[in-house]
Amino acid sequence: MKFAKVIIDISAEQVDRAFTYRIPEELEDRIAPGVRVRVPFGNSNRTRIGFVIDLTDRIDFPEDRIKPIDSLLPKALDTAGDLIELAAFMASEYGCTMNQALQTVLPVKRKVGKNRRRQDPVREIEVLSGEAGEGNAAEAKRSDDETLNPEQTAVCAAILRENSRPTLLYGITGSGKTRVYIELIRHMQAAGKKSIVLIPEISLTYQTVRELTKHLGSKVAVMHSKLSLGEKYEQFQKAADGEIDVMVGPRSALFTPFTDLGLIVIDEEHERTYQSDTAPRYDTRIVAAKRAALSGARLVLGSATPSLESYTKALRGEYALQTLKKRAHPGALLPKIHIADMREEMEAGNRSIFSGRMQEMIRERLELGEQVMLFLNRRGYAGFVSCRSCGTVIKCPHCDVSMTAHNNWYYNPYTGAREAALLSCHYCGYTMPMPSSCPQCGSRFIAPFGTGTQKLEQAAKKMFPAARILRMDADSTTAKGSYEKILSTFQKGGADILIGTQMIVKGHDFPNVTLVGIIAADMSLNAPDYDASERTFQLITQAAGRSGRGGRAGDVVIQSYDPSHYAVELAARQDYEGFYYREMSYRKLLHYPPDIFMMQVRVRSEDEALAGEAADYAAGLCRDSFVSEGAVLIGPCNEGVYKINDNYRKILYIKHSSHAIIKKIREALAEALSERFGNRKVWFGFDIR
Ligand code: ADP
Ligand code: ZN
Ligand code: ZN
């Protein structure tokens, strides 16, 4: 390449205003994204230091106006170079532009708004943990016990010895993975090094954040998805200035500009939120491994239910594998699991949401003053609304999905009792009032079907009128700080039953919870994804892991319409390895990841015919050029939800055993498609698993 694009000031805003310089011949082999250079700048003869962000052969103006790079500077103890190199890696790995990658990796410079009340997210959590501690003396005392158990000590030592590979830390629920992270962070602090702890979502890992801030104090900064750009920038600035030792946050915290990075932890590594859903659609685990390699840091991936992908890498030796097999709290045992077959309940005449076993055990806990968590993976009041006369289902006018009933709507077609209700679309947010009659046939017998968390709450209140009940889901946590409030109220014993979606499932540690009820275990089994069993296994195992974490034994009741399914059965036995081998044999048989690589080519357009044409064209290209190279093409077909937000969605799958070939196919497709459809209203996305 003959020219280099250079930015002088390191921020995402500068990327679009990069300056072009000629690369002198003697430097040709050494100029790459991320290197530091000295360049002439402005009209005077002054030079300034800049960073190369991209190389190119094409320029839009006369070559004689372009000045040459003055000199190449040695790599500095500065993260900017590493981050730009990381962006270059992402651009090549995920097929995005260098600009998109840089916008993701470099800090966005924004000042905190003047009128905004400044809130320190760490403060919020510290205050909370103080309150929670007071309400539960036994718990506060236990947290003061700083000694690691022998299993934890051995794992820490092994992770620190491992200096070239990431470590997968597979530790059962309650085995004390957070303590291991804290010990590793302390070790880094002693060596003057910084740490990044990634969590899937703050509401899912409230406990982890609390533990970290409690043990590591003011040296921890927390990033929220609810922080403004200005507040995020401030946190990054603190890190760059060396004011903090640890950054905790969602996947974007991976780009914290620490200079002396010693450790990256990815907690609950199996979570889907680590897969970016906007361009560049990166996998945090892969990018973290690259950043760790660039800065010589350790990478730890922790989970009680590792993704099949990571466990496969561990078995192949690409990752080191460490395991924690015992619950850490002295005396804590794994919970006892009971399965309730809902088909049998139905036959026996039980029409309630709760099986007989569930009712009995909830009553028992309420009498003993112990706490219960009830988990249901669907928010709202009901699944869908349909007409009992003609079968019409009320659908969103912008999406190809049914509307969900909210606000405790209740309608009895036989007595006529009715309350105001709202229907909402969980895909685009569109809302409308509940129709009083069927829009198709005019019948008044139109009613909600299925169960959501709101209906579960209503049913629980009716069945256990004396119980104090809290609900936590996307509807009850829209306000800033609301999830901390719900969780700390529950933690302090301010409620007997906590009802919620997957938000309540992971990473929480409530010692007084001795019963966990999983209302509809196989709901996620029916999702149209090849990894539906894996998701179900993870959800049940994680939910079950919330029970009996203190001194008392715990129970779990799993309600299922398909109790003999291996994902349900093996989760009930907490048998991760058993599940891994069973599920892998299925993936191998049907050629799904992680056995092979699979690329999804997604096509979207508001113009249905254009979406179809573009998808067919992509499939044709693949058939003509790559099937002979061993690629397997499936589709194109409509996506599971064909229309979202007025966009028609087509998808095709391309499978291959070689990652290099899949990437080559992606590049060829992206180029050919942008050439042919570049100026038409159709959008393409590529995802490799
Ligand atoms: P995990 O994240 O693996 O599910 P946690 O880190 O939440 O587990 O730990 C579970 C519980 O055990 C917590 O209450 C924690 O304070 C406690 N714990 C962890 N390690 C120890 C230890 N070495 N001694 C006593 N209690 C511990
Ligand atoms: Zn009708
Ligand atoms: Zn919609």
Side-chain angles (χ1 to χ4, degrees):
M1 301 278 179
K2 285 168 67 181
F3 305 100
K5 291 188 177 169
V6 174
I7 53 174
I8 305 290
D9 186 20
I10 303 304
S11 76
E13 286 80 2
Q14 291 304 312
V15 168
D16 285 330
R17 280 172 255 150
F19 300 96
T20 306
Y21 290 90
R22 189 160 49 74
I23 304 175
E25 236 165 72
E26 70 272 17
L27 290 180
E28 229 164 54
D29 302 335
R30 291 156 65 202
I31 299 288
V35 301
R36 250 174 12 130
V37 289
R38 190 172 277 287
V39 290
F41 196 77
N43 289 330
S44 64
N45 280 330
R46 284 189 33 224
T47 59
R48 289 185 66 174
I49 294 172
F51 284 90
V52 172
I53 58 167
D54 209 357
L55 305 179
T56 181
D57 273 327
R58 271 193 294 192
I59 46 166
D60 306 332
F61 31 85
E63 198 173 329
D64 55 7
R65 280 183 44 203
I66 297 181
K67 296 174 183 169
I69 290 174
D70 192 82
S71 55
L72 174 67
L73 296 169
K75 200 170 153 65
L77 252 189
D78 188 316
T79 43
D82 280 355
L83 288 177
I84 293 169
E85 213 177 321
L86 193 63
F89 167 79
M90 288 167 75
S92 111
E93 188 71 15
Y94 299 105
C96 65
T97 64
M98 188 63 187
N99 263 25
Q100 284 173 322
L102 286 165
Q103 303 285 359
T104 307
V105 161
L106 296 180
V108 175
K109 271 194 181 170
R110 277 299 148 76
K111 287 253 164 1
V112 176
K114 271 202 192 107
N115 299 328
R116 230 188 129 84
R117 195 171 63 87
R118 298 265 292 273
Q119 257 177 327
D120 188 342
V122 181
R123 266 284 114 67
E124 271 175 49
I125 292 186
E126 271 174 0
V127 169
L128 264 161
S129 57
E131 278 172 19
E134 271 161 32
N136 197 326
E139 210 240 343
K141 196 159 157 258
R142 199 175 70 229
S143 302
D144 290 335
D145 176 9
E146 299 281 309
T147 359
L148 293 185
N149 64 33
E151 233 192 347
Q152 291 167 321
T153 309
V155 161
C156 280
I159 291 171
L160 290 171
R161 272 198 308 272
E162 185 63 56
N163 53 16
S164 59
R165 292 179 297 175
T167 297
L168 175 64
L169 173 56
Y170 159 43
I172 63 161
T173 54
S175 59
K177 292 183 285 296
T178 315
R179 284 296 175 84
V180 170
Y181 307 154
I182 290 168
E183 183 65 20
L184 295 171
I185 292 167
R186 288 217 170 108
H187 181 94
M188 293 301 159
Q189 281 180 312
K193 293 192 173 242
K194 316 294 186 192
S195 305
I196 294 172
V197 179
L198 301 181
I199 52 179
E201 203 186 302
I202 294 218
S203 61
L204 299 184
T205 21
Y206 168 81
Q207 170 67 21
T208 306
V209 177
R210 232 185 46 155
E211 284 271 307
L212 291 170
T213 49
K214 194 152 68 187
H215 284 86
L216 300 161
S218 61
K219 287 296 187 180
V220 184
V222 182
M223 268 180 38
H224 262 230
S225 49
K226 284 178 183 156
L227 291 188
S228 70
L229 283 177
E231 289 169 316
K232 273 184 188 154
Y233 183 67
E234 224 176 39
Q235 300 289 61
F236 272 3
Q237 203 52 49
K238 273 193 205 159
D241 294 345
E243 280 174 37
I244 53 165
D245 291 344
V246 188
M247 179 65 89
V248 184
R251 60 174 187 259
S252 59
L254 174 60
F255 308 114
T256 306
F258 278 133
T259 337
D260 266 315
L261 185 62
L263 174 72
I264 304 172
V265 171
I266 303 185
D267 192 29
E268 312 285 356
E269 68 85 26
H270 61 277
E271 282 294 329
R272 263 191 185 167
T273 50
Y274 288 124
Q275 189 73 40
S276 164
D277 48 12
T278 52
R281 299 171 64 93
Y282 65 92
D283 181 333
T284 308
R285 297 165 300 183
I286 305 285
V287 181
K290 181 69 181 179
R291 176 148 197 212
L294 283 173
S295 44
R298 303 283 194 290
L299 171 61
V300 177
L301 306 158
S303 177
T305 51
S307 61
L308 293 201
E309 206 180 323
S310 293
Y311 202 72
T312 301
K313 284 184 179 168
L315 293 181
R316 284 184 191 147
E318 217 172 297
Y319 293 166
L321 179 63
Q322 292 301 326
T323 51
L324 290 170
K325 295 204 163 98
K326 287 194 282 284
R327 281 202 157 177
H329 184 251
L333 300 165
L334 278 175
K336 221 176 154 179
I337 314 244
H338 316 264
I339 296 186
D341 186 332
M342 295 309 276
R343 291 167 310 191
E344 283 173 13
E345 297 278 329
M346 197 74 125
E347 271 160 35
N350 178 9
R351 289 285 152 101
S352 142
I353 292 178
F354 304 104
S355 59
R357 186 36 113 15
M358 189 85 88
Q359 293 177 29
E360 199 180 291
M361 296 192 95
I362 292 176
R363 281 216 177 84
E364 205 180 281
R365 298 308 136 124
L366 293 174
E367 268 161 37
L368 289 168
E370 296 174 356
Q371 289 175 303
V372 178
M373 284 171 93
L374 298 178
F375 163 69
L376 177 65
N377 207 12
R378 186 195 278 142
R379 66 196 170 96
Y381 185 79
F384 58 94
V385 175
S386 73
C387 169
R388 291 183 188 187
S389 303
C390 76
T392 291
V393 173
I394 306 292
K395 282 190 165 184
C396 172
H398 305 288
C399 309
D400 188 25
V401 289
S402 51
M403 300 291 285
T404 302
H406 282 253
N407 293 5
N408 303 329
W409 190 81
Y410 177 74
Y411 178 77
N412 184 332
Y414 305 102
T415 64
R418 174 151 38 94
E419 277 175 32
L422 200 63
L423 305 187
S424 94
C425 169
H426 285 186
Y427 283 82
C428 76
Y430 178 82
T431 56
M432 61 182 180
M434 169 80 196
S436 53
S437 61
C438 172
Q440 202 64 38
C441 75
S443 161
R444 291 189 64 241
F445 295 94
I446 178 162
F449 278 83
T451 305
T453 41
Q454 288 183 355
K455 187 164 170 186
L456 175 60
E457 183 186 18
Q458 201 180 56
K461 278 181 175 155
K462 212 164 149 197
M463 177 122 3
F464 313 104
R468 296 163 303 161
I469 300 175
L470 279 174
R471 196 187 87 228
M472 182 155 136
D473 54 30
D475 298 306
S476 69
T477 53
T478 45
K480 199 169 170 176
S482 47
Y483 63 85
E484 290 102 329
K485 212 153 138 199
I486 297 173
L487 291 172
S488 78
T489 304
F490 190 60
Q491 169 106 35
K492 279 186 283 184
D496 306 305
I497 301 178
L498 176 63
I499 288 175
T501 53
Q502 72 217 45
M503 258 187 206
I504 67 167
V505 169
K506 296 133 195 160
H508 303 304
D509 188 31
F510 301 115
N512 200 34
V513 169
T514 54
L515 175 64
V516 166
I518 301 171
I519 301 297
D522 27 40
M523 202 167 212
S524 52
L525 272 182
N526 301 321
D529 295 324
Y530 70 85
D531 60 356
S533 300
E534 185 180 0
R535 296 286 148 201
T536 306
F537 178 82
Q538 287 165 350
L539 273 176
I540 300 177
T541 310
Q542 296 279 351
R546 297 312 111 205
S547 183
R549 290 165 73 93
R552 278 151 296 185
D555 287 278
V556 178
V557 179
I558 301 176
Q559 298 190 160
S560 171
Y561 288 92
D562 193 3
S564 60
H565 191 286
Y566 64 96
V568 178
E569 242 178 17
L570 291 165
R573 278 193 258 143
Q574 305 261 307
D575 181 359
Y576 175 79
E577 274 101 344
F579 176 78
Y580 174 83
Y581 287 107
R582 177 83 191 252
E583 180 67 10
M584 275 307 283
S585 66
Y586 153 80
R587 303 273 176 102
K588 278 185 184 137
L589 192 71
L590 298 177
H591 303 294
Y592 279 121
D595 184 51
I596 48 93
F597 294 95
M598 183 166 84
M599 174 162 64
Q600 306 183 352
V601 182
R602 287 163 304 117
V603 182
R604 314 240 150 115
S605 176
E606 288 191 12
D607 177 344
E608 187 172 8
L610 181 58
E613 183 194 330
D616 288 340
Y617 186 74
L621 282 175
C622 178
R623 222 175 283 121
D624 294 346
S625 317
F626 301 110
V627 167
S628 58
E629 286 199 46
V632 174
L633 170 71
I634 299 167
C637 54
N638 297 349
E639 279 210 47
V641 180
Y642 182 35
K643 189 175 82 170
I644 294 181
N645 251 325
D646 295 319
N647 272 275
Y648 293 90
R649 297 145 42 98
K650 292 265 180 185
I651 191 162
L652 48 140
Y653 301 92
I654 300 165
K655 297 177 181 181
H656 204 285
S657 56
S658 152
H659 193 239
I661 293 183
I662 278 279
K663 272 174 71 178
K664 195 178 88 183
I665 299 176
R666 181 186 64 204
E667 263 141 54
L669 281 183
E671 204 180 304
L673 290 170
S674 92
E675 200 159 289
R676 184 167 173 120
F677 295 96
N679 43 22
R680 296 172 73 184
K681 287 193 169 147
V682 58
W683 174 94
F684 300 95
F686 303 90
D687 254 327
I688 299 177
R689 288 281 144 77

